[in-house]
Amino acid sequence: MCRLRVLVDLPRHSRLDAVLDYLAPEPWPAGTLVRVPLGKREVCGIVWGMAETPDPAEADGEAPVLRSVVQVLTDLPPFTHGWLRLVAFAASYYQRSPGEVALSALPPDLRDLDAVQLARRLKRLDKALATAAKVANAAAQAGTPERPALSPEQQQVLDVLADGPPQPSLLFGATGSGKTEVYLREAERVLAAGRQALVLVPEINLTPQLEARFAERFPARCIVSLHSGLTPAQRLQHWLSAHLGRADLVLGTRMAVFASLPRLGLIVVDEEHDPSYKQQEGARYSARDLAVWRGRHEQVPVLLGSATPSLESWYNAGPAEAGGGRYRRLVMPSRIGGGALPAVRVVDLARIAAQFGKQALRAHPLAPPLLDALRERLDRGEQSLVLLNRRGYAPVLHCTNCGWKSACPHCSAWRVFHKLDRTLRCHHCGITERVPRACPDCGDPDIQPMGRGTERLEEQLADLLPGARVGRIDADSTRAKGSLAEQLASVHAGEVDVLVGTQMVAKGHDFRRMTLVAAVQADAALFSSDFRAPERLFSLLMQAGGRAGRDAALAGRSEVWIQTWHPEHALYAALRRHDYEAFAASQLAERESAGMPPFSFQALLRADARTPEAALAFLDAAALQAQALPGAQEVLIYPPVPAPIHRIADVERAQMLVEASGRVTLHRLLAQWLPALQGLSSEPATRVLRWALDVDPISI
Ligand code: ADP
Ligand code: ZN
Ligand code: ZN
């Protein structure tokens, strides 16, 4: 008998190290999938290693106290050391248990399989792959797909990438500069060398489009996707193809960073700045940062691409003297085909108000010059995109008589008026009710929408532009499965003249005939309490601008319009010049003088409780604990505060920021603090509903 250390998915609060010892008749290598008893259940586990000390009970010749492994899934090759190390790192860095990280990275269906069921699935997979191989062979016979001649900038970038040891690189390329072609060529290189490539995208919506481009380029290759939009059976099949080394290319969202890839040769992170790469629950990992770590440790190149890199990545790719030097910086400033970037027009709302009266602005969402620009597009048969990051008809209803407003009874937020189904909906807790006929407080029937959401904007634009086909794409319009693809297709087919949308349409999509993008209400981000808000706004507007004029023939008359009360703001000035570098430099200077990331490292402790007092009491006690830890004087512990939306679904939320100038300093403290926090949360005086530590939080 030997003792195996096995990872199981234990809730973090029960024991930080979810590694349990089990007996097995023979040793199995680390990474082997097993089934083990846990309490009254039988669960999936992963062999982590052999226990060093023999079982004391056994040494005494008594019956072993340990339970035995039930089954070893020998049909599946063990996880590689690289994968196991990734899990170990992610767990320690994000302060979770390795069992939780490892098991939650597996497809749910895999966790439920026993050996017999697994064998059946593998047989089915073999059949599917054989069929796919036949199709691929036929495609390969039909001839090799055409590749465009590389632009000089693409060639230069690829030359640099081919040269020297694998290393993370930041590909800073304008929208339309042909970054995808660079990914394709890099993938081609590693595939030819018999390796696998992993390509990450920020959103599920972007996978079909990218998958199509890769499939077109590599018709003979096995390409699979990994994201939460798959059925459990699909997800298992795709995952198995990757794990068995049968898939050559894996495309996926952040979860795919944990894909098991025995022949990994390249990781691409497209739109690396996108906040969606940060997981916002459970193990709150950054898929981008883990990709960089994984690449380093498996010695494969990592390519981070963006037209507006995150300031962290930009800093890391900066000169070593200034604290950077971690990534190679590769630059592609020009658009393919030589098309110019769209001209940026900033509409000064104060001037418009002086000219046409404030009343006009309230009634019309668009300033007259912008409306004229839209009409011009209509006359020429071109498309426009009007961005508004607020879905619904109006963010709040109010009573003109007594001032009642449509507050959510369960959240510190307004319920949004949705006119299409005449509901009031809270976007935080989801509560949905019919719109009242009269004011619930005073009975006055005159209740009015305040402000504007996408539904209302769509309605107003249809009024202002008679004959125009106005469409809308947001989370509401695309709720049904497949409807986003359908709506995008109708935009591509030219069935929409003016598209109203939230930021979900600003990313990645390639609208050929779009020559105008307008942001009608962008200012809020300039004065947000979140220090990352300007970075996000800049990136969103650059990305959105990237939708315009992708057809070189139309690029010359493509425009981005921004309505603002602050036309002189430095952010808009940089945007007008398409000057990401200047914007990044000024933001980094601000961050440096304020000691904010990337010049410091942060963790956010969040607590949820029934009352604000309880949440804050937990955090106060946690702060006292932290202050007593060795090394605490090197760490700044901010006072606990209510979260920006302090109540959601009747739960009060509070948070506390912890900051240090060095990553190591911060992590040394966190590692000691966590066990103490676990004790704290089980004491009656400081008990809370939930608490969580968010390492490198991206919104605070
Ligand atoms: P990015 O991802 O940088 O915004 P894309 O990769 O989408 O840019 O490229 C923009 C367009 O240019 C795409 O239609 C692409 O097919 C085309 N393209 C890219 N590289 C070349 C090339 N070397 N020659 C011709 N067309 C290219
Ligand atoms: Zn009223
Ligand atoms: Zn609510």
Side-chain angles (χ1 to χ4, degrees):
M1 275 291 175
C2 56
R3 270 173 76 177
L4 295 180
R5 315 215 63 208
V6 177
L7 292 183
V8 291
D9 189 0
L10 270 187
R12 179 193 47 169
H13 298 283
S14 63
R15 190 192 295 212
L16 189 59
D17 265 342
V19 190
L20 301 178
D21 287 3
Y22 288 93
L23 293 177
E26 48 184 316
W28 291 96
T32 304
L33 214 60
V34 291
R35 301 203 54 85
V36 292
L38 183 68
K40 290 196 173 98
R41 295 177 302 149
E42 186 192 298
V43 298
C44 178
I46 298 170
V47 177
W48 194 234
M50 297 276 286
E52 274 148 29
T53 49
D55 181 20
E58 207 181 15
D60 288 343
E62 291 167 20
V65 288
L66 291 175
R67 303 174 78 179
S68 294
V69 168
V70 177
Q71 206 172 41
V72 181
L73 302 181
T74 49
D75 279 352
L76 223 49
F79 289 97
T80 61
H81 286 289
W83 190 85
L84 294 170
R85 269 203 315 224
L86 174 68
V87 163
F89 169 75
S92 82
Y93 189 84
Y94 294 106
Q95 303 293 334
R96 311 295 293 199
S97 77
E100 180 194 10
V101 171
L103 275 302
S104 61
L106 305 187
D109 265 19
L110 181 69
R111 299 172 56 167
D112 297 334
L113 294 185
D114 61 28
V116 177
Q117 293 163 318
L118 175 66
R120 226 178 289 143
R121 295 287 192 129
L122 287 171
K123 206 176 271 169
R124 216 182 299 162
L125 175 68
D126 262 337
K127 255 193 218 148
L129 287 174
T131 317
K134 251 188 232 143
V135 176
N137 263 331
Q141 297 296 321
T144 43
E146 251 178 71
R147 304 181 315 179
L150 294 171
S151 73
E153 288 175 2
Q154 287 171 331
Q155 186 64 60
Q156 205 171 15
V157 161
L158 286 162
D159 287 346
V160 175
L161 286 172
D163 197 37
Q167 144 182 22
S169 307
L170 176 66
L171 176 56
F172 170 48
T175 49
S177 62
K179 293 186 286 294
T180 312
E181 186 62 33
V182 172
Y183 308 154
L184 287 164
R185 297 295 178 110
E186 274 294 281
E188 186 180 323
R189 188 174 60 75
V190 305
L191 294 187
R195 312 281 292 270
Q196 295 171 298
L198 171 64
V199 181
L200 301 181
V201 289
E203 283 189 32
I204 297 182
N205 306 332
L206 298 173
T207 46
Q209 175 182 328
L210 197 71
E211 203 172 344
R213 283 187 77 174
F214 275 83
E216 190 187 349
R217 182 62 59 85
F218 305 109
R221 297 291 188 170
C222 174
I223 304 176
V224 298
S225 58
L226 280 178
H227 53 74
S228 58
L230 301 173
T231 65
Q234 283 172 327
R235 189 157 152 206
L236 176 61
Q237 196 176 66
H238 294 184
W239 186 92
L240 285 171
S241 319
H243 177 75
L244 297 169
R246 307 282 290 270
D248 302 305
L249 269 157
V250 175
L251 311 180
T253 50
R254 62 173 178 261
M255 66 158 72
V257 76
F258 286 110
S260 165
L261 296 156
R263 300 185 280 115
L264 181 63
L266 168 73
I267 308 178
V268 172
V269 184
D270 192 23
E271 310 290 5
E272 68 84 28
H273 62 275
D274 200 292
S276 312
Y277 282 121
K278 184 82 156 70
Q279 166 85 14
Q280 294 293 4
E281 57 193 42
R284 294 165 186 252
Y285 63 86
S286 155
R288 179 204 52 220
D289 295 350
L290 286 181
V292 169
W293 192 94
R294 186 172 186 180
R296 276 228 170 87
H297 286 259
E298 299 198 32
Q299 297 193 351
V300 304
V302 178
L303 195 50
L304 309 176
S306 178
T308 53
S310 66
L311 290 177
E312 282 80 1
S313 296
W314 185 248
Y315 174 72
N316 283 333
E321 312 84 77
R326 282 185 208 90
Y327 308 160
R328 200 158 36 184
R329 186 187 287 181
L330 308 168
V331 191
M332 299 202 303
S334 326
R335 278 187 149 182
I336 294 287
L341 286 164
V344 178
R345 311 221 176 282
V346 176
V347 180
D348 181 354
L349 287 174
R351 248 175 63 192
I352 298 289
Q355 200 176 341
F356 299 91
K358 269 207 160 163
Q359 214 47 45
L361 275 183
R362 209 160 297 141
H364 298 297
L366 305 188
L370 173 52
L371 206 54
D372 288 342
L374 276 173
R375 287 199 184 102
E376 251 174 60
R377 266 67 192 183
L378 275 174
D379 293 343
R380 290 202 297 252
E382 295 163 10
Q383 294 174 309
S384 305
L385 168 64
V386 184
L387 282 176
L388 178 61
N389 234 352
R390 225 174 219 186
R391 63 195 171 85
Y393 189 84
V396 56
L397 278 187
H398 82 128
C399 167
T400 53
N401 180 42
C402 75
W404 169 87
K405 281 179 170 179
S406 56
C408 175
H410 308 289
C411 306
S412 53
W414 305 119
R415 280 177 302 167
V416 175
F417 173 41
H418 289 253
K419 192 177 176 186
L420 288 176
D421 55 5
R422 299 214 55 87
T423 55
L424 280 179
R425 283 191 229 159
C426 174
H427 291 181
H428 300 283
C429 71
I431 189 173
T432 302
E433 279 174 2
R434 305 264 321 149
V435 170
R437 286 181 192 288
C439 170
D441 279 3
C442 74
D444 193 300
D446 192 22
I447 40 180
Q448 293 291 335
M450 277 171 85
R452 178 183 300 122
T454 45
E455 267 184 29
R456 189 177 204 179
L457 183 57
E458 179 189 16
E459 184 184 283
Q460 289 176 319
L461 286 176
D463 279 349
L464 291 165
L465 303 165
R469 295 163 303 173
V470 181
R472 170 171 58 91
I473 296 186
D474 56 26
D476 296 317
S477 79
T478 56
R479 195 140 296 169
K481 207 175 156 83
S483 64
L484 174 63
E486 233 167 75
Q487 288 169 36
L488 288 171
S490 105
V491 179
H492 284 293
E495 290 158 15
V496 173
D497 300 312
V498 180
L499 177 63
V500 172
T502 52
Q503 60 178 352
M504 75 189 283
V505 285
K507 296 177 187 176
H509 302 288
D510 195 346
F511 301 118
R512 291 274 121 168
R513 296 204 55 80
M514 197 159 273
T515 58
L516 184 148
V517 174
V520 292
Q521 232 161 276
D523 282 349
L526 299 178
F527 310 102
S528 165
S529 63
D530 185 344
F531 69 88
R532 282 190 176 84
E535 177 184 354
R536 297 231 175 92
L537 176 63
F538 188 86
S539 147
L540 177 73
L541 294 175
M542 286 281 275
Q543 293 288 321
R547 301 311 104 220
R550 290 176 80 86
D551 188 329
L554 300 176
R557 51 174 187 257
S558 291
E559 294 174 340
V560 174
W561 286 67
I562 294 156
Q563 301 197 134
T564 173
W565 294 94
H566 309 275
E568 304 307 326
H569 199 284
L571 189 151
Y572 296 136
L575 195 72
R576 238 187 247 152
R577 302 190 308 268
H578 303 287
D579 196 347
Y580 167 82
E581 296 194 42
F583 172 73
S586 74
Q587 284 285 307
L588 282 175
E590 261 178 46
R591 299 244 191 123
E592 183 166 23
S593 66
M596 287 186 294
F599 301 93
S600 65
F601 298 86
Q602 299 179 329
L604 194 67
L605 180 61
R606 304 173 196 270
D608 292 356
R610 284 280 165 231
T611 65
E613 294 75 24
L616 291 169
F618 173 81
L619 294 176
D620 277 327
L624 283 179
Q625 280 183 333
Q627 276 146 6
L629 292 170
Q633 61 290 352
E634 289 165 76
V635 176
L636 189 57
I637 300 166
Y638 287 83
V641 290
I645 298 169
H646 68 83
R647 183 161 35 95
I648 292 182
D650 293 320
V651 170
E652 294 289 341
R653 307 153 75 239
Q655 60 188 39
M656 182 168 73
L657 188 66
V658 186
E659 188 181 88
S661 61
R663 211 190 277 279
V664 176
T665 319
L666 178 65
H667 280 262
R668 207 177 291 138
L669 183 97
L670 296 183
Q672 302 172 72
W673 195 18
L674 219 70
L677 286 172
Q678 273 150 5
L680 194 62
S681 60
S682 57
E683 278 168 34
T686 45
R687 190 164 290 157
V688 286
L689 292 171
R690 272 183 300 273
W691 61 274
L693 195 64
D694 186 352
V695 178
D696 302 335
I698 58 161
S699 51
I700 54 174

